Amino acid sequence: MADIEQLNGDAQSRIGAAEDLAALEALRVEFLGKQGSVSALLKTLGKMTPEERQEQGPKIHALREGVQAALTARKEALENAALESQLAAETLDLSLPAPGMPQGSIHPVSQVMDELAEIFADLGFAVATGPEIEDDWYNFTALNMPESHPARAMHDTFYFPDQAPKGGKMLLRTHTSPVQVRTMLEDGAPLRIIAPGRVYRSDSDATHTPMFHQIEGLVIDKGIHLGHLKWTLETFLKAFFEREDIVLRLRPSYFPFTEPSVEVDVGFAIENGQDGKGRRVLGGSGDEPGHGWMELLGSGMVNSRVIEMSGLDPDQCQGFAFGVGVDRLAMLKYGMDDLRAFFDGDVRWLRHYGFSAFDQPTLSAGVGARA
Ligand code: PHE
């Protein structure tokens, strides 16, 4: 009897003082293991007389249960303490980049798209979108290019085998101009929109990729004329290149969907010799030595036939439209010379030409990123 009480006192105090889980496990083995002292007591029950057993049995079982309870309680306490100290020691900042991973950056195309959206939002333009898988009618016919029109051949179109609802085949849009038609049909006049997006042509070299990006601009209202177009383009390009001395050259051109049509070149300085690489827009006209002209965008007054096919009355409203290559703008502003690298997904290129996600283009701080 004295044995049991002593054993209990000893077990309780040592379990309560166990410093870690390993020490606790050693105590469990010492008391409750096969060779443990409590187990040894339990084994003595078999050799007792029934009277003894009736008296000792409950005490020995109570001892075992008490020891078991003490072990469980201490284990829980030790585990809680371990968790608390781990929580105190380990702080995890989920906003940090994962260790060992390359850090992400904003692709120059996204950067330039953001810059353009910012500039045109300031001029009151909304953003419109259209599908990349397009109906022949929106991409060509409604833009004054009926099936036999020779201008279609210049677009190197990717066609799908599927029949388009409005005739011809479905295709990957070759320009953002079908968004003009879609927006006029949907929203009517007046309109002031830009339509950024991917376009596709079967073409590939240093300055052409089968997929590239355009931004379409469209203004439809009463009394819109070529002067509005010229002012808008000048204002946009000065804001984009962040300099006042931009020199533009407007050349008469031809697009089936604009009349008259105007092609716009921007003067650039040849920085690295005469090979045209490392081009940067630096002001000055292309006619001076060390300068050249770079074709930048197509534009013009929206052809009255397009306005008509888009459900509007050309006697009531006029408009201008333009289409710019976004990738080309990025190359000119940030000095890349091979368009194909834009879409290689090479992290070294992205790290070099990418932009910080914290560097949002705003008109007040300047739309140009600190590259
Ligand atoms: N859609 C023409 C192109 O790809 C550009 C353009 C847009 C020209 C709008 C005039 C008006 O090349």
Side-chain angles (χ1 to χ4, degrees), residues 22-218:
L24 195 65
E25 174 62 10
L27 288 171
R28 188 193 65 77
V29 172
E30 183 179 333
F31 297 118
L32 301 182
K34 270 196 182 138
Q35 318 290 329
S37 46
V38 175
S39 309
L41 271 178
L42 279 163
K43 280 180 203 150
T44 63
L45 285 172
K47 293 175 198 125
M48 290 179 188
T49 63
E51 292 73 31
E52 279 175 326
R53 194 181 302 139
Q54 205 162 31
E55 203 210 316
Q56 294 295 322
K59 291 182 182 163
I60 296 176
H61 280 293
L63 168 69
R64 197 198 56 185
E65 268 159 40
V67 169
Q68 182 62 63
L71 285 167
T72 307
R74 185 64 189 153
K75 185 165 186 236
E76 206 170 294
L78 285 172
E79 281 173 348
N80 282 342
L83 185 62
E84 290 299 332
S85 71
Q86 189 183 8
L87 285 174
E90 283 179 11
T91 47
L92 187 61
D93 185 346
L94 291 174
S95 68
L96 289 175
M101 296 290 282
Q103 276 193 37
S105 61
I106 304 292
H107 194 284
V109 171
S110 304
Q111 171 72 24
V112 167
M113 292 266 203
D114 287 349
E115 293 177 15
L116 296 175
E118 177 70 16
I119 291 167
F120 281 104
D122 191 57
L123 297 176
F125 285 65
V127 175
T129 54
E132 289 170 32
I133 296 174
E134 188 55 286
D135 189 306
D136 180 293
W137 189 82
Y138 290 104
N139 194 80
F140 289 128
T141 310
L143 289 165
N144 198 29
M145 283 183 271
E147 233 152 276
S148 57
H149 202 287
R152 284 185 171 222
M154 288 160 50
H155 280 227
D156 301 310
T157 313
F158 289 114
Y159 286 97
F160 289 95
D162 314 67
Q163 201 65 31
K166 290 171 180 275
K169 297 269 191 257
M170 292 301 285
L171 46 81
L172 286 172
R173 68 178 179 191
T174 57
H175 50 177
T176 43
S177 299
V179 184
Q180 285 187 35
V181 179
R182 287 180 172 275
T183 314
M184 280 189 265
L185 279 171
E186 243 162 67
D187 298 342
L191 272 184
R192 219 186 282 182
I193 55 132
I194 53 167
R198 296 191 181 107
V199 300
Y200 303 82
R201 288 183 204 180
S202 177
D203 205 352
S204 188
D205 59 39
T207 53
H208 297 85
T209 48
M211 184 280 296
F212 58 104
H213 300 82
Q214 286 189 334
I215 272 198
E216 193 84 5
L218 174 69

